[in-house]
């Protein structure tokens, strides 16, 4: 299977991104042809600060590599290093009904949050469709919020195929329902935009602040509680070893679970869980040229796949004369 997914280089990576997107992608390296990339052109729809975008792209690349993405076993690149994607975006734009984009929740949500509604933001799903179709991806692991964008990509692919002949595979979204939503400090979906995240690579002090801020109820420790309704437990269970998790679950059910103690334990487990990744990250941050070289080679491989698809598209629509 050809599996593909991208992440925006905007903001600190948090444990929701890790469980929802990065870990499933890394797990996919084993038996699939994996395409993983940093979508800097998408980020440009809302980040208009040169330093922030450039540094964010490097940081996202370093994070992905530190967490276990192996560039020898996948194709890993930065979106804008394969310029063919923008040409395909234009061709697909000419087939995309306005109404299809006007219905996109993500666009409406972003405007509601105060992001200026520029044309790029509106056309975001067309660029995403081009990302997916250019590499003939079959599976696209994403969080629930991206489901509609995958439907848009399928609609556009279908339209192209029926007008110009079978060209594109219809991609399928892969959404893991168990991990679809990692809760944030306040119990809502963990998200940068809600300010309720646990950043994977925060320093020890910052991490402690965040973990201690996980919202819990005021039931006295000796009273029984339902672990599944507790936000702290729902985060803790992502990291704790099975035997310890079973003990803590019993403490919730039988009385005796002390939130402060569990938080300190979570802090320790979190710190150890990401220790190897943190060490790799330090090394990679010290060698940015090595990271750039990995991305350059990735873009070359991605381009080799992209060019034949785009050539076929150009021929089919009549751009070759
Ligand atoms: P954020 O909501 O913090 O801005 P992004 O929209 O940049 O995160 O998401 C990047 C990837 O991580 C997407 O595939 C998204 O579905 C996934 N993701 C983000 N937050 C969560 C979460 N709380 N639980 C599961 N997956 C998430
Ligand atoms: N829109 C996705 C997000 O915000 C990122 C993305 C861009 C993407 N292109 C993609 C995801 C192609 C999967 C496939 O999370």
């Amino acid at each position: 299977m050809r599996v593909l997914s991208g992440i925006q280089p905007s903001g600190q990576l948090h444990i929701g991104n890790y469980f929802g997107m990065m870990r499933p992608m890394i797990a996919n390296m084993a038996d699939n042809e994996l395409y993983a990339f940093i979508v800097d052109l998408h980020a440009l729809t809302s980040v208009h600060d040169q330093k922030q975008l450039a540094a964010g792209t490097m940081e996202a690349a370093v994070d992905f590599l530190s967490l276990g993405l192996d560039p020898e076993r996948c194709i890993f690149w930065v979106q804008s290093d394969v310029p063919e994607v923008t040409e395909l975006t234009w061709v697909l734009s000419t087939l995309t009904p306005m109404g299809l984009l006007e219905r996109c929740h993500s666009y409406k949500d972003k405007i509601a949050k105060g992001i200026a509604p520029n044309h790029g933001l509106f056309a975001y799903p067309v660029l995403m469709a081009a990302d997916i179709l250019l590499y003939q991806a079959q599976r696209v692991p994403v969080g629930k919020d991206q489901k509609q964008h995958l439907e848009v990509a399928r609609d556009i692919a279908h339209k192209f195929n029926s007008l110009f002949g079978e060209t594109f595979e219809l991609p399928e979204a892969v959404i893991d329902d168990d991990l679809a939503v990692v809760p944030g400090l306040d119990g809502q979906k963990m998200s940068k935009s809600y300010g309720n995240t646990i950043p994977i690579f925060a320093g020890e002090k910052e991490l402690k602040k965040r973990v201690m801020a996980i919202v819990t109820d005021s039931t006295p420790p000796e009273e029984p509680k339902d672990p599944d309704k507790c936000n702290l437990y729902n985060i803790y269970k992502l990291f704790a070893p099975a035997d310890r998790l079973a003990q803590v679950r019993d403490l919730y059910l039988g009385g005796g679970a002390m939130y402060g103690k569990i938080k300190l334990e979570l802090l320790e487990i979190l710190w150890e869980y990401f220790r190897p990744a943190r060490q790799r990250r330090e090394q990679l941050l010290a060698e940015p040229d090595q990271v750039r070289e990995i991305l350059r080679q990735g873009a070359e491989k991605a381009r080799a796949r992209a060019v034949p698809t785009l050539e076929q598209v150009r021929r089919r629509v009549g751009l070759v004369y």
Side-chain angles (χ1 to χ4, degrees):
M1 283 282 174
R2 276 185 302 279
V3 179
L4 169 147
S5 195
I7 186 158
Q8 291 204 47
S10 44
Q12 285 177 309
L13 196 74
H14 55 73
I15 62 172
N17 301 139
Y18 178 66
F19 286 103
M21 189 268 191
M22 286 196 161
R23 199 175 69 159
M25 281 293 278
I26 290 166
N28 266 308
M29 280 189 310
D31 315 304
N32 297 289
E33 192 178 325
L34 182 70
Y35 294 77
F37 58 127
I38 318 254
V39 296
D40 56 346
L41 294 172
H42 277 106
L44 199 52
T45 60
S46 49
V47 180
H48 293 129
D49 176 318
Q50 176 255 325
K51 279 210 181 97
Q52 193 190 336
L53 184 60
T57 298
M58 276 301 277
E59 199 179 317
V62 165
D63 288 353
F64 228 141
L65 293 168
S66 315
L67 288 164
L69 194 79
D70 177 356
E72 301 292 323
R73 293 162 68 209
C74 68
I75 302 185
F76 180 50
W77 77 103
V78 175
Q79 185 186 31
S80 65
D81 285 339
V82 180
E84 283 74 13
V85 76
T86 54
E87 186 173 342
L88 182 59
T89 301
W90 179 256
V91 174
L92 300 181
S93 281
T94 65
L95 305 178
T96 309
M98 291 293 283
L100 191 63
L101 299 181
E102 275 158 2
R103 283 194 290 278
C104 285
H105 307 300
S106 162
Y107 174 68
K108 290 189 263 190
D109 290 351
K110 284 175 184 165
I111 293 179
K113 272 186 211 140
I115 298 180
N118 61 53
H119 173 252
L121 200 66
F122 185 65
Y124 184 111
V126 188
L127 176 58
M128 182 160 162
D131 278 338
I132 298 168
L133 302 180
L134 189 57
Y135 303 98
Q136 302 283 8
Q138 294 160 308
R139 301 253 155 130
V140 183
V142 279
K144 255 191 198 140
D145 53 328
Q146 296 297 317
K147 194 167 170 227
Q148 193 182 27
H149 288 161
L150 258 295
E151 283 156 14
V152 171
R154 286 171 68 91
D155 278 3
I156 298 177
H158 184 258
K159 180 129 187 223
F160 189 100
N161 289 349
S162 43
L163 272 173
F164 299 111
E166 273 313 300
T167 306
F168 294 120
E169 291 249 4
L170 295 197
E172 260 174 56
V174 182
I175 297 170
D176 182 338
D177 277 332
D178 283 347
L179 293 172
V181 181
V182 173
L185 303 182
D186 54 359
Q188 290 189 80
K189 174 195 161 200
M190 184 175 289
S191 172
K192 286 184 292 272
S193 25
Y194 302 147
N196 62 357
T197 67
I198 299 184
I200 296 180
F201 295 118
E204 225 168 343
K205 220 169 137 194
E206 175 65 14
L207 196 65
K208 182 166 185 187
K209 210 170 102 194
R210 301 286 177 115
V211 169
M212 289 323 216
I214 296 175
V215 177
T216 46
D217 63 20
S218 50
T219 328
E222 58 284 0
E223 261 182 46
K225 318 177 202 0
D226 181 352
D228 300 317
K229 290 206 176 115
C230 176
N231 192 31
L232 172 60
Y233 182 84
N234 284 327
I235 298 177
Y236 179 84
K237 75 175 181 198
L238 296 169
F239 298 97
D243 49 346
R244 179 62 189 147
L245 185 64
Q247 286 172 352
V248 170
R249 193 173 175 85
D250 286 345
L251 286 176
Y252 269 86
L253 294 170
M258 288 188 277
Y259 295 139
K261 236 176 114 193
I262 297 170
K263 283 182 181 178
L264 287 175
E265 199 181 313
L266 170 63
L267 182 65
E268 212 169 290
I269 301 178
L270 260 173
W271 190 252
E272 287 308 314
Y273 192 93
F274 291 114
R275 181 191 290 278
R278 204 162 38 242
Q279 284 168 347
R280 274 196 298 274
R281 189 169 182 269
E282 291 300 313
Q283 288 165 3
L284 290 167
L285 283 174
E287 296 182 52
D289 284 341
Q290 192 193 329
V291 177
R292 287 192 190 95
E293 180 55 22
I294 290 172
L295 294 170
R296 194 194 60 74
Q297 288 180 17
E300 215 168 88
K301 286 193 245 171
R303 231 175 152 182
R305 311 277 155 106
V307 166
T309 310
L310 187 66
E311 269 174 11
Q312 196 182 19
V313 167
R314 296 180 109 255
R315 248 182 288 115
R316 293 227 155 135
V317 301
L319 292 173
V320 177
Y321 51 88

